[in-house]
Amino acid sequence: MVKKNACVFISGNGSNLKAIIKNSRDPNFPIKVSLVISNSKKAFGIKYAKIFSIPYKVINGEMIRFEHKALRLLNENKIELVCLAGFMRILSKKFLRKFNGKIINIHPSLLPKYKGLNTFKKAIENKDIFTGCTIHYVNEKLDAGKIIFKKRVEIKSKIEEFVKRSVQLQEYNAYSIAIRKIYNKS
């Protein structure tokens, strides 16, 4: 099997990055994480790129600069899929158009419910029974791209951190299920 080259964009802890890398070690997994890009030199997730010997680049500063350098790196590395994993910046329309249909994101809610930030707080305040995560294609509207996969999680606490942790534990497997679905390897 010829694996597709993928890049993961991160801003923080990199726990989804770690899960994607581990799953990509499976010979039947459709992608190889060939590059990690972070917009923060303080992103703990860079550690996973180092541990697994994956090339990485930190691009600080304005989004115009970030996108220009990121596009160059994506092209140089023949990247066919970009996975946003805790990447806390909004990509421009220009960037999205250049990589159209090849960028996916994981969002901590059952979209279309609770787009944007503070999803767990919103779910608790609205007395939802379930929350979860959604992996979707990125388009020009915030958290509005075509849905690839959703994982539902029961809300068992009114404590936001507990709900967040419950969802995160499901995200690690859900992201890889979505990637398999994209390439019909489920």
Side-chain angles (χ1 to χ4, degrees):
M1 169 200 249
V2 178
K3 293 184 176 226
K4 308 286 185 190
N5 286 328
C7 176
V8 182
F9 283 19
I10 62 169
S11 294
N13 288 333
S15 54
N16 273 305
L17 167 65
K18 180 181 176 186
I20 294 168
I21 292 169
K22 284 188 170 187
N23 282 306
S24 73
R25 303 298 175 162
D26 175 342
N28 295 315
F29 198 70
I31 67 163
K32 171 187 177 195
V33 179
S34 304
L35 181 64
V36 174
I37 297 178
S38 176
N39 65 314
S40 171
K41 64 182 178 188
K42 295 179 182 177
F44 186 79
I46 294 168
K47 171 183 163 185
Y48 298 119
K50 291 177 182 177
I51 289 170
F52 291 100
S53 301
I54 296 170
Y56 68 93
K57 183 73 175 173
V58 175
I59 307 170
N60 291 319
E62 305 256 338
M63 272 311 274
I64 293 171
R65 179 178 177 270
F66 174 91
E67 290 181 351
H68 177 75
K69 288 189 170 197
L71 274 173
R72 186 175 43 80
L73 289 166
L74 296 175
N75 289 325
E76 285 173 6
N77 288 278
K78 297 178 175 55
I79 299 299
E80 297 177 68
L81 181 70
V82 174
C83 301
L84 307 181
F87 183 67
M88 301 307 290
R89 302 291 298 268
I90 295 175
L91 297 166
S92 72
K93 291 177 183 180
K94 185 177 177 182
F95 184 92
L96 294 173
R97 288 180 186 145
K98 288 188 179 183
F99 230 74
N100 188 29
K102 297 178 181 176
I103 304 173
I104 63 174
N105 181 45
I106 188 161
H107 182 73
S109 79
L110 297 172
L111 291 173
K113 229 178 184 184
Y114 311 132
K115 295 176 181 180
L117 302 173
N118 304 311
T119 60
F120 305 117
K121 181 179 181 184
K122 292 172 187 173
I124 292 167
E125 286 175 352
N126 287 315
K127 297 179 174 47
D128 290 354
I129 297 169
F130 293 98
T131 188
C133 61
T134 305
I135 299 86
H136 63 95
Y137 287 100
V138 176
N139 65 15
E140 295 177 10
K141 294 182 181 173
L142 181 67
D143 298 325
K146 181 181 174 192
I147 292 170
I148 303 161
F149 183 75
K150 290 185 190 186
K151 179 65 179 176
R152 198 167 74 159
V153 177
E154 186 176 358
I155 297 175
K156 296 181 179 180
S157 171
K158 294 191 183 340
I159 300 168
E160 201 173 326
E161 272 305 308
F162 182 84
V163 176
K164 178 181 177 181
R165 185 69 185 139
S166 298
V167 171
Q168 282 179 328
L169 290 172
Q170 296 304 313
E171 285 179 357
Y172 308 142
N173 192 38
Y175 215 143
S176 292
I177 289 170
I179 292 168
R180 287 181 189 276
K181 283 184 76 154
I182 290 169
Y183 297 105
N184 296 315
K185 301 289 179 190
S186 48

